[in-house]
Amino acid sequence: MDRVGILLDSSMFRGIPAGRTGRESLLYYELAAASYGLTACYLRLEDIDLFTGKCTAYILTGNRYQLHHIAIPEVIHNRAMYFAKISHYQIAGLIQRGVRIYNVRNRYGKDEIHRLLVKNPELAPHLPQTELASLPTIQQMMEKHTDLIVKPVSSSIGKGIMRVMHRYGDGNLILSSANRSKQCRYPFKRGVLPQVLNKRIQKKNYLVQERIALATYEGRPFDLRVSVQRGGSGSWMVTGMYAKVAPPNNFVTNVAQGGSAMPYEEIHPLVLPSHSLLTITDQIQHLTITAAKQLSLALPHLADLGFDMGITAQGEIYFIECNGRDQRYGFRKAGMDKEWMETYQNPLAYARFLLDQQQASPYPS
């Protein structure tokens, strides 16, 4: 059978023999690989030798995983995060060798994603007003909006998010926390923002964004995680979506920060009873696929994205952010096992598509 590489972080790679791979399911990789006539090979970037064209990878042999010294797979699905320049050079070397590696980069700045999406006139009305954060831009945004979100450009899973709420310049800065008892609140007067905000935005880049008045479930705001992937035809498709509901008395919906995952169709009649579920889901699917295509114009080798989409009580739909490495375990937490499995099926169907391609171009448009 043809081989497909699954590029993993070192900590996850080391846990393979003991079956300790955290939130990644090797079983679903194996089932997906088998259904497309593939052998899954789990590897790390540091175990690839560009000079010999060989690598060391774990392969399921019998009923256990064993290390094998093999030729570098022709197609590799990247599920690892690499930030060092030497890693980028090595990935570039793989591509130069003709290896088809998809999701090459899976961490993009929120500012970069916003700039790319806002260029599309169909998507622009669904984007919250967003600026790079500085004290002047935050104060300018406060003149237009009474509720703002300030979040790191490069963080994930809801870390470091702040909320600025005010009325005529008097208000509160709230620092997010997975534990609502530790959520910090800093009052301010006449638009003079707390020093803790200034210290944070000076240390690293943040965005300031109008906070969308999200619809609520049992008094808690929620948004939707939408998994958008390329499949066996090479085209983008929506694999599934679920609702992420913030913990009580919190504004951050991320599951990793204490939010709850639920099937959206279960809560829709309770939160948007006057809106058709089919209409809302069709709109979200259309917008997220359009967004994936738009990003693909500028960001090479994308294949597996997770969009956070907000819905207001009036049924308005907004992009919150885009994740280049979708956290699939939310489907499991929502009890959506079929969709969870399909988030593994589609990337390997895309691997099969790439292996079968006879075109001269190494990547589909």
Side-chain angles (χ1 to χ4, degrees):
M1 289 199 296
D2 293 319
R3 290 170 173 163
V4 58
I6 312 293
L7 198 58
L8 300 176
D9 291 326
S10 289
S11 60
M12 193 173 296
F13 181 86
R14 288 192 297 267
I16 288 176
R20 296 173 182 168
T21 54
R23 292 163 176 163
E24 290 278 35
S25 170
L26 298 195
L27 171 61
Y28 281 169
Y29 273 129
E30 295 297 336
L31 292 173
S35 67
Y36 296 109
L38 300 171
T39 297
C41 307
Y42 308 95
L43 62 156
R44 299 179 299 181
L45 199 55
E46 53 264 45
D47 296 323
I48 296 174
D49 189 328
L50 292 174
F51 295 102
T52 64
K54 300 288 186 179
C55 68
T56 302
Y58 275 112
I59 299 175
L60 184 62
T61 308
N63 59 358
R64 65 192 183 97
Y65 285 97
Q66 294 181 344
L67 284 173
H68 293 258
H69 195 57
I70 61 172
I72 299 170
E74 295 180 18
V75 169
I76 295 177
H77 177 33
N78 181 29
R79 289 291 291 173
M81 291 280 192
Y82 290 107
F83 302 103
K85 284 187 177 180
I86 190 170
S87 298
H88 298 162
Y89 290 140
Q90 192 160 8
I91 289 172
L94 284 169
I95 294 171
Q96 288 176 353
R97 287 185 63 94
V99 175
R100 301 181 178 192
I101 177 169
Y102 53 101
N103 279 21
V104 174
R105 283 177 60 195
N106 45 34
R107 174 70 67 84
Y108 294 96
K110 296 177 177 64
D111 55 338
E112 183 179 9
I113 296 296
H114 182 84
R115 283 196 302 269
L116 293 173
L117 293 182
V118 80
K119 291 179 181 180
N120 187 310
E122 184 178 5
L123 301 177
H126 299 275
L127 292 164
Q129 184 180 356
T130 303
E131 304 287 347
L132 279 173
S134 65
L135 287 182
T137 57
I138 293 173
Q139 288 167 339
Q140 289 168 12
M141 291 277 277
M142 288 173 64
E143 294 175 4
K144 300 178 182 179
H145 309 285
T146 59
D147 201 348
L148 299 172
I149 293 294
V150 184
K151 56 188 178 183
V153 163
S154 62
S155 75
S156 62
I157 63 173
K159 290 183 178 179
I161 295 179
M162 298 176 281
R163 183 178 180 184
V164 178
M165 304 171 63
H166 77 101
R167 185 173 177 82
Y168 306 117
D170 297 344
N172 288 280
L173 167 71
I174 305 172
L175 307 187
S176 65
S177 171
N179 184 342
R180 72 175 185 271
S181 65
K182 294 182 179 179
Q183 189 165 269
C184 299
R185 185 180 295 260
Y186 297 85
F188 59 87
K189 296 284 187 182
R190 299 184 180 88
V192 180
L193 295 165
Q195 187 62 24
V196 64
L197 173 61
N198 191 36
K199 287 181 178 178
R200 288 198 174 197
I201 64 176
Q202 285 184 342
K203 286 183 179 179
K204 60 181 179 179
N205 292 330
Y206 277 74
L207 292 182
V208 57
Q209 190 174 72
E210 66 169 305
R211 181 178 180 272
I212 302 304
L214 297 174
T216 60
Y217 171 71
E218 295 183 346
R220 296 178 287 162
F222 73 90
D223 59 22
L224 302 181
R225 170 57 60 87
V226 186
S227 179
V228 185
Q229 301 174 311
R230 292 187 192 265
S233 68
S235 301
W236 289 102
M237 66 182 73
V238 172
T239 305
M241 68 177 75
Y242 62 89
K244 300 188 282 103
V245 185
N249 303 315
N250 207 320
F251 64 93
V252 178
T253 62
N254 298 73
V255 174
Q257 298 295 318
S260 303
M262 304 178 65
Y264 176 61
E265 60 267 22
E266 289 185 8
I267 70 171
H268 175 87
L270 304 174
V271 298
L272 291 173
S274 60
H275 292 81
S276 161
L277 172 62
L278 181 60
T279 299
I280 292 289
T281 54
D282 282 351
Q283 288 176 334
I284 290 172
Q285 290 186 9
H286 174 73
L287 287 171
T288 51
I289 289 175
T290 301
K293 291 177 179 178
Q294 176 72 18
L295 295 176
S296 298
L297 297 175
L299 305 177
H301 321 320
L302 293 180
D304 189 3
L305 300 172
F307 289 96
D308 288 339
M309 306 294 290
I311 308 176
T312 69
Q314 292 74 41
E316 301 164 321
I317 300 169
Y318 289 91
F319 287 93
I320 306 299
E321 61 184 60
C322 173
N323 300 273
R325 184 174 70 168
D326 192 15
Q327 300 294 340
R328 304 167 175 148
Y329 64 90
F331 287 104
R332 179 183 62 181
K333 287 183 174 291
M336 301 171 66
D337 289 348
K338 176 177 176 292
E339 290 81 358
W340 183 34
M341 183 172 66
E342 287 175 350
T343 60
Y344 289 84
Q345 287 277 342
N346 286 332
L348 292 200
Y350 183 56
R352 180 77 269 170
F353 168 79
L354 291 177
L355 283 166
D356 291 343
Q357 266 195 323
Q358 300 299 318
Q359 299 174 1
S361 174
Y363 289 95
S365 60

